[in-house]
Amino acid sequence: MTCTVTMKMAHGYTDESIVIDTAVASGIASADAEAGLPRFSTVLAAVMQAGRDELVRVQPAYPGVAESIAELHRRGFVQTVLTGNLRAAAEVKVASLNVRDELDLQIGAYGSDHRDRFQLAAVVARRYRDKFGIELTPARTVVVGDAPNDIACARSAGFRVVVVAHRESREELASHGPDAVLDHLDPELVVATITSLVRGA
Protein backbone atom coordinates (compact mmCIF):
# COMPACT_ATOMS: atom_id res chain seq x y z
CA MET A 1 0.00 0.00 0.00
CA THR A 2 1.59 3.29 -1.07
CA CYS A 3 -0.60 5.57 0.99
CA THR A 4 0.82 7.77 3.71
CA VAL A 5 -1.13 8.31 6.91
CA THR A 6 -0.15 11.36 8.93
CA MET A 7 -1.20 11.24 12.56
CA LYS A 8 -2.00 14.66 13.91
CA MET A 9 -0.78 15.33 17.41
CA ALA A 10 -1.63 18.94 18.10
CA HIS A 11 -5.00 20.50 18.87
CA GLY A 12 -4.20 24.17 18.30
CA TYR A 13 -1.39 26.20 16.84
CA THR A 14 2.29 25.41 16.70
CA ASP A 15 4.24 25.54 19.95
CA GLU A 16 6.23 28.57 18.78
CA SER A 17 3.09 30.48 17.80
CA ILE A 18 1.56 29.83 21.20
CA VAL A 19 4.68 31.01 23.03
CA ILE A 20 5.10 34.16 20.95
CA ASP A 21 1.42 35.12 21.09
CA THR A 22 1.26 34.51 24.84
CA ALA A 23 4.43 36.50 25.49
CA VAL A 24 3.28 39.46 23.40
CA ALA A 25 -0.18 39.38 25.01
CA SER A 26 1.58 39.49 28.40
CA GLY A 27 3.39 42.70 27.47
CA ILE A 28 6.71 41.31 26.27
CA ALA A 29 8.10 43.01 23.17
CA SER A 30 7.85 40.89 20.04
CA ALA A 31 11.62 41.09 19.42
CA ASP A 32 12.34 39.91 22.96
CA ALA A 33 9.87 37.05 22.61
CA GLU A 34 11.52 35.95 19.38
CA ALA A 35 14.96 36.13 21.00
CA GLY A 36 13.79 33.79 23.74
CA LEU A 37 12.70 30.99 21.40
CA PRO A 38 16.01 29.07 21.42
CA ARG A 39 15.91 28.90 25.21
CA PHE A 40 12.26 27.88 25.12
CA SER A 41 13.08 24.98 22.82
CA THR A 42 15.91 23.81 25.08
CA VAL A 43 13.87 24.08 28.26
CA LEU A 44 10.83 22.40 26.70
CA ALA A 45 12.92 19.43 25.58
CA ALA A 46 14.34 19.02 29.09
CA VAL A 47 10.93 19.35 30.73
CA MET A 48 9.36 16.82 28.35
CA GLN A 49 12.12 14.31 29.01
CA ALA A 50 11.87 14.77 32.77
CA GLY A 51 8.09 14.48 32.71
CA ARG A 52 7.69 11.40 30.51
CA ASP A 53 6.01 9.33 33.21
CA GLU A 54 3.76 12.19 34.27
CA LEU A 55 2.74 12.76 30.64
CA VAL A 56 1.53 9.18 30.33
CA ARG A 57 -0.43 9.56 33.57
CA VAL A 58 -2.10 12.95 33.02
CA GLN A 59 -2.42 12.99 29.24
CA PRO A 60 -2.96 9.40 28.16
CA ALA A 61 -3.30 8.58 24.48
CA TYR A 62 -6.74 8.12 22.99
CA PRO A 63 -8.03 4.58 23.47
CA GLY A 64 -7.13 2.54 20.40
CA VAL A 65 -4.48 4.85 18.99
CA ALA A 66 -1.52 2.51 19.50
CA GLU A 67 -3.50 -0.47 18.24
CA SER A 68 -4.66 1.46 15.17
CA ILE A 69 -1.13 2.57 14.33
CA ALA A 70 0.09 -1.01 14.75
CA GLU A 71 -2.63 -2.40 12.49
CA LEU A 72 -2.01 0.20 9.78
CA HIS A 73 1.67 -0.65 9.92
CA ARG A 74 0.89 -4.36 9.62
CA ARG A 75 -1.20 -3.60 6.51
CA GLY A 76 1.74 -1.78 4.90
CA PHE A 77 0.74 1.85 5.34
CA VAL A 78 3.53 4.42 5.66
CA GLN A 79 2.81 6.51 8.75
CA THR A 80 4.30 9.65 10.20
CA VAL A 81 3.28 12.67 12.26
CA LEU A 82 2.29 16.19 11.29
CA THR A 83 2.20 18.28 14.44
CA GLY A 84 2.57 21.78 15.76
CA ASN A 85 4.70 20.43 18.59
CA LEU A 86 8.43 20.99 18.44
CA ARG A 87 10.17 17.79 17.37
CA ALA A 88 11.66 17.15 20.80
CA ALA A 89 8.21 17.27 22.38
CA ALA A 90 6.66 15.17 19.63
CA GLU A 91 9.28 12.46 20.02
CA VAL A 92 8.55 12.16 23.75
CA LYS A 93 4.82 11.86 23.04
CA VAL A 94 5.40 9.21 20.37
CA ALA A 95 7.75 7.27 22.64
CA SER A 96 5.02 7.15 25.30
CA LEU A 97 2.86 5.19 22.83
CA ASN A 98 5.50 2.50 22.29
CA VAL A 99 4.93 2.71 18.54
CA ARG A 100 8.04 4.56 17.41
CA ASP A 101 9.13 1.82 15.00
CA GLU A 102 5.73 1.95 13.33
CA LEU A 103 5.90 5.70 12.66
CA ASP A 104 8.51 7.07 10.25
CA LEU A 105 9.54 10.21 12.14
CA GLN A 106 12.13 11.09 9.48
CA ILE A 107 9.41 12.15 7.06
CA GLY A 108 7.27 13.89 9.66
CA ALA A 109 6.71 17.63 10.05
CA TYR A 110 6.95 19.52 13.33
CA GLY A 111 6.37 22.94 14.77
CA SER A 112 10.14 23.37 14.75
CA ASP A 113 10.05 23.12 10.93
CA HIS A 114 7.66 26.01 10.38
CA ARG A 115 5.58 28.24 12.63
CA ASP A 116 2.60 28.10 10.26
CA ARG A 117 0.88 24.72 10.57
CA PHE A 118 -0.49 25.10 7.07
CA GLN A 119 3.06 24.89 5.72
CA LEU A 120 3.82 21.58 7.43
CA ALA A 121 2.10 19.38 4.83
CA ALA A 122 4.66 20.58 2.28
CA VAL A 123 7.43 19.52 4.68
CA VAL A 124 6.00 15.99 4.83
CA ALA A 125 5.73 15.90 1.03
CA ARG A 126 9.33 17.04 0.58
CA ARG A 127 10.74 14.57 3.09
CA TYR A 128 8.69 11.74 1.61
CA ARG A 129 10.06 12.53 -1.86
CA ASP A 130 13.61 12.80 -0.56
CA LYS A 131 13.42 9.44 1.20
CA PHE A 132 11.43 7.36 -1.28
CA GLY A 133 12.27 9.09 -4.56
CA ILE A 134 8.64 9.54 -5.58
CA GLU A 135 6.11 12.31 -5.13
CA LEU A 136 3.57 12.09 -2.35
CA THR A 137 0.08 11.75 -3.83
CA PRO A 138 -2.30 14.05 -1.91
CA ALA A 139 -5.38 11.98 -2.74
CA ARG A 140 -3.67 8.93 -1.22
CA THR A 141 -2.54 10.75 1.90
CA VAL A 142 -4.86 10.69 4.90
CA VAL A 143 -4.59 12.87 7.98
CA VAL A 144 -6.12 11.42 11.14
CA GLY A 145 -6.96 14.20 13.58
CA ASP A 146 -9.46 15.39 16.15
CA ALA A 147 -10.12 19.08 15.54
CA PRO A 148 -11.45 21.53 12.92
CA ASN A 149 -7.97 22.92 12.42
CA ASP A 150 -6.75 19.43 11.50
CA ILE A 151 -9.39 19.33 8.77
CA ALA A 152 -8.42 22.76 7.45
CA CYS A 153 -4.71 21.87 7.47
CA ALA A 154 -5.32 18.64 5.54
CA ARG A 155 -7.63 20.28 3.03
CA SER A 156 -5.12 23.07 2.33
CA ALA A 157 -2.75 20.39 1.02
CA GLY A 158 -5.36 18.36 -0.84
CA PHE A 159 -5.09 15.49 1.67
CA ARG A 160 -7.98 13.30 2.76
CA VAL A 161 -8.93 13.62 6.43
CA VAL A 162 -10.51 11.44 9.08
CA VAL A 163 -11.34 12.90 12.48
CA VAL A 164 -12.19 11.30 15.80
CA ALA A 165 -14.99 12.77 17.92
CA HIS A 166 -13.05 12.96 21.15
CA ARG A 167 -12.38 16.64 21.90
CA GLU A 168 -15.19 17.94 19.67
CA SER A 169 -18.66 16.61 19.00
CA ARG A 170 -19.43 14.60 15.88
CA GLU A 171 -21.75 17.39 14.70
CA GLU A 172 -19.11 20.10 15.12
CA LEU A 173 -16.48 18.10 13.28
CA ALA A 174 -18.86 17.11 10.48
CA SER A 175 -19.71 20.77 9.86
CA HIS A 176 -16.12 21.32 8.69
CA GLY A 177 -16.35 18.75 5.91
CA PRO A 178 -13.98 15.89 6.76
CA ASP A 179 -14.08 12.72 4.69
CA ALA A 180 -15.13 10.70 7.73
CA VAL A 181 -15.90 11.15 11.42
CA LEU A 182 -15.23 8.23 13.77
CA ASP A 183 -16.64 7.93 17.26
CA HIS A 184 -13.60 6.00 18.46
CA LEU A 185 -10.33 4.51 17.22
CA ASP A 186 -11.17 0.90 16.54
CA PRO A 187 -8.25 -0.56 14.52
CA GLU A 188 -10.37 -2.46 12.02
CA LEU A 189 -12.67 0.52 11.51
CA VAL A 190 -9.70 2.88 11.06
CA VAL A 191 -8.10 0.60 8.47
CA ALA A 192 -11.38 0.09 6.62
CA THR A 193 -12.12 3.83 6.56
CA ILE A 194 -8.68 4.82 5.31
CA THR A 195 -8.57 2.02 2.75
CA SER A 196 -11.93 3.09 1.32
CA LEU A 197 -10.72 6.69 0.98
CA VAL A 198 -7.55 5.85 -0.94
CA ARG A 199 -8.90 2.99 -3.03
CA GLY A 200 -8.81 4.01 -6.67
CA ALA A 201 -7.18 7.38 -5.96
Side-chain angles (χ1 to χ4, degrees):
M1 184 77 64
T2 57
C3 164
T4 298
V5 179
T6 61
M7 292 288 182
K8 296 287 292 183
M9 297 174 60
H11 185 62
Y13 299 101
T14 62
D15 286 348
E16 286 191 359
S17 293
I18 294 170
V19 169
I20 295 296
D21 290 351
T22 301
V24 171
S26 301
I28 297 173
S30 179
D32 291 337
E34 293 284 349
L37 278 177
R39 174 165 169 72
F40 164 72
S41 300
T42 300
V43 171
L44 178 64
V47 168
M48 292 294 294
Q49 286 293 341
R52 292 167 70 109
D53 293 340
E54 183 180 359
L55 174 67
V56 173
R57 186 172 66 255
V58 303
Q59 192 180 345
Y62 289 176
V65 66
E67 295 82 359
S68 295
I69 292 171
E71 185 61 21
L72 286 163
H73 179 72
R74 192 181 73 79
R75 303 289 184 96
F77 286 89
V78 175
Q79 300 176 87
T80 190
V81 296
L82 190 164
T83 175
N85 290 152
L86 299 183
R87 181 160 184 167
E91 288 181 343
V92 171
K93 290 185 177 183
V94 169
S96 73
L97 299 174
N98 295 315
V99 296
R100 185 171 186 136
D101 291 342
E102 293 151 350
L103 294 174
D104 187 341
L105 300 184
Q106 291 183 347
I107 63 171
Y110 310 89
S112 38
D113 292 314
H114 203 290
R115 194 172 297 172
D116 182 354
R117 282 184 62 181
F118 286 80
Q119 301 301 316
L120 295 181
V123 174
V124 172
R126 184 182 72 250
R127 289 177 173 162
Y128 180 92
R129 182 184 63 244
D130 291 346
K131 180 167 184 176
F132 297 108
I134 58 175
E135 296 292 335
L136 185 68
T137 304
R140 293 182 60 80
T141 303
V142 182
V143 168
V144 179
D146 65 357
N149 201 34
D150 297 339
I151 300 169
C153 182
R155 291 295 190 222
S156 72
F159 295 168
R160 312 304 294 271
V161 56
V162 175
V163 285
V164 184
H166 188 86
R167 295 178 186 268
E168 307 281 353
S169 70
R170 165 177 280 274
E171 293 73 23
E172 170 64 16
L173 292 171
S175 71
H176 293 273
D179 292 291
V181 181
L182 305 181
D183 292 317
H184 58 279
L185 286 172
D186 173 76
E188 292 297 328
L189 177 59
V190 171
V191 170
T193 301
I194 292 174
T195 300
S196 71
L197 290 178
V198 302
R199 183 180 291 129

